[in-house]
Amino acid sequence: MTRDPRYDILFEPVKIGPVTARNRFYQVPHCNGMGHLMPNSVAAMRGVKAEGGWAVVATEECDIHVSSDVLPYAEARLWDDGDADRLSLMTERVHAHDSLAAIELVHSGHNASNRHSRLPVLGVSDLPVNSFDPVQACAMTKRDIADVRRWHRQAAVRARDAGFDIVYVYAGHNLSLPMHFISRRANKRSDEYGGSLENRVRLTRELLEDTKEAVGDRCGVAIRFAVDELLGDAGITSETEGREVVEMLAELPDLWDVNVSDWANDSVTARFGEEGAQEPYVAFVKKVTSKPVVGVGRFTSADAMVSQIKRGVLDMIGAARPSIADPFLPKKIEEGRIEDIRECIGCNICVSGDWTQSPIRCTQNPTMGEEWRRGWHPEIIEARGESKKILIVGAGPAGLEAAMSLGRRGYDVALADAGDGGGRAALEATLPGLSSYKRVSDYRLGQIEKLPNVSFFPGSRMDADSVREFGADQVLIATGAHWRADGLGRYTETGVAGITSHPNILTPDQLMVGNLPREGAVVVYDDDHYYMGGVIAGWLSDRGLSVTLVTPGPEVSCWTKNTMEQHRIEKTLLDKGVCLIEKHTLTNVSHETLSFAHNTTSQLTELQAQSLVMVTLRQPVSDLYFELAGHEEQHLETLPFRLTRVGDCMAPSTIAAAVYDGHRIARELDSPPHPDSVPYKRERPLIDRP
Ligand code: ADP
Ligand code: SF4
């Protein structure tokens, strides 16, 4: 297939100072939870992006000095030559595919707590650090500023020598010293680095000049700058100081990478922001500078990208999440395979890797983060093994991913689902704000349709007899899970007394198929702590019901802190008039009277509710599996087929986990790793034996 000429413009080269990007696709810096701790993993992941057609592939933020230590977050590091050597692994991988490697140098200022180095924190002013650590930054003296400039220069030279083609000065996301200096909120200085905007921009200007001087004829010098903090007059806005900063520095860098701050605004989830949401803020930049401008907007539509270029909003299409969900997005546009693009769903599971200090993962792309340790490639999968006929029961995220991946391996696959297919992804996509979840099932159903060796049978409920009769030599059970109504949960391990006396208990499963509460007060009890409780509370409130959300968690939807949505969820619910009660556990139900105990004081609160929605625990739908396997799995060895459980029907978790499990089982079919072995490579710290 050839590329649609409409998209030719996306494949024009772009000059960035002394270097040239081969097209307009630019993987902007993004964290990955691996950073300096897992250099092989990061290098392999970045290499795959370059292979997939991203003309520029950037690191995550890269600390330039031991006084900028953001432990426990695993970002890149360039503290000395040893770090540079590790980073050169990445540049080699990126250059192997004719792409440019970019590095985002940062001194984190009071965003670092220096938990590892235990050095005093250097900041623009005497301020507490950004975390709750009982640590304050010390206002930098001129000597400190000179030190930071020297460290930045040294890091730039090391970056150049490690093979980087673009070196960044980072003034974005409120995470770096240059931005702290620019910020009126943080900068309380009275010297030539404080006061007027010209003074507050001084450090950024100096760092740009220093970096150009250090690497200028070999590397492009980029600035990442947040033009708007979405704080109105309290912060930088694109109409005032954001614009003025771009005007002041317009021609100094070789490239402007512009966005909004903070990170939660920049990487807003699909629930709270559309594709291209940043355009109103960044659109002015190209009018102010002649240098190429990169911007992001969770762009997955080639038409939207072309529109950005043609309308003069951006010169290069920046992407973090779309490049994570599909590292081959540019190649697929280039080869005229638009329908093969695995579109990001905007869930921010990728972001949760950083916040939970674990290697990056992605709902849509199960190979993300696994390129080195498992050797998984997003577009290449090993050819089939000895099994002839595979039956998969359940076409939710796990079953769909397994069917697609096994189909690509060349197996004959039958995929049966009691419903239309899509499982929880299709079901949850009907909830407000979650429509993009449908992409999980749409993409896989679309790919399966193109595979002649995979047959999909919707409307086919399978029982043990029909499975046996099918005559497969491998059977995967991917029958999912359903929400429990009996109150068992994290905080109620022994259940809730009297719960069956309530006349109207509902679960998310019932609500999603249209079984909605009648009029009156509704209590949503959320012991799940991810998005479901908050989504349902908001939805029922929109339907005119009086809703109280009670959770034993410290905040509503508390795990969504890791997807940077918690504050938005809480605000949305409060704006809708939903009553929020945190740190309370459901202890007793007596008809419509609900009793909740405070987690620490045990003080009781009673609420009346005509309807009670239980968002607590999910029960695996594993009866079919155990009917075949035996309750102790005692029949597994004697069955005429190999039987495996996949996804939520084994251990309910995120959609990302179900997709991953489906993918893993598909990769390992016919050659599973030995159960006593570690099934992937590990990056082990060096040991220093005397
Ligand atoms: P996962 O996230 O693990 O993929 P889901 O709950 O999203 O799980 O999907 C499970 C799918 O399995 C649903 O689409 C459901 O209709 C289907 N299913 C459950 N039991 C059976 C069965 N006995 N026969 C066929 N399909 C089934
Ligand atoms: Fe997109 Fe979600 Fe994947 Fe992140 S995890 S890239 S938001 S699909």
Side-chain angles (χ1 to χ4, degrees), residues 321 324-325 344-350 361-364:
R321 291 172 294 175
I324 293 168
C344 167
I345 70 166
C347 61
N348 279 4
I349 279 292
C350 49
R361 61 213 55 208
C362 169
T363 301
Q364 279 284 58

Side-chain angles (χ1 to χ4, degrees), residues 247-262:
E247 285 169 350
M248 282 176 188
L249 303 175
E251 300 302 311
L252 191 51
D254 297 314
L255 174 131
W256 282 89
D257 175 350
V258 284
N259 59 8
V260 296
S261 182
D262 54 8

